[in-house]
Amino acid sequence: MRLDKFLKVSRLIKRRTLAKEVADQGRITVNGNSAKASTTLTVGDELVIRFGQKVVTLRINDLRETVKKDKAETLYTIIKEEKLTN
């Protein structure tokens, strides 16, 4: 599954176009490598996403085309969440 689609389906980012912009800005890494929106994900991949002043590290548990809102969090496990300090 594409990175931008996973971010939308998992509801980590609300819209796919926004997910594409974040990836194209170099704010997402997959398994330590900078990722583009078209990067193909597999179960077990580790994502690091930088949201403003917060960095979230997560592992992909499942890949699905669609998922109900209350089940979206089952697609990933947050490993760590940290705030950036200047």
Side-chain angles (χ1 to χ4, degrees):
M1 176 181 285
R2 287 174 52 110
L3 174 61
D4 55 348
K5 182 156 186 180
F6 175 77
L7 293 172
K8 178 192 174 294
V9 170
S10 66
R11 296 182 172 67
L12 286 164
I13 297 180
K14 297 241 185 271
R15 293 187 322 273
R16 193 165 173 180
T17 52
L18 186 60
K20 181 183 182 316
E21 288 173 19
V22 170
D24 291 345
Q25 290 170 0
R27 292 167 38 192
I28 301 175
T29 61
V30 176
N31 298 326
N33 301 316
S34 187
K36 294 182 179 179
S38 60
T39 301
T40 303
L41 300 176
T42 57
V43 173
D45 282 351
E46 194 169 289
L47 270 63
V48 178
I49 308 169
R50 190 165 44 89
F51 295 103
Q53 295 300 308
K54 188 168 72 168
V55 176
V56 179
T57 305
L58 54 98
R59 183 174 297 112
I60 298 174
N61 297 332
D62 196 5
L63 296 172
R64 295 187 184 206
E65 293 296 317
T66 59
V67 67
K68 292 191 186 306
K69 189 175 184 179
D70 57 338
K71 301 280 187 200
E73 288 186 15
T74 63
L75 297 179
Y76 59 90
T77 302
I78 294 179
I79 298 169
K80 69 179 176 184
E81 203 171 320
E82 54 192 337
K83 287 191 186 283
L84 295 176
T85 55
N86 293 345

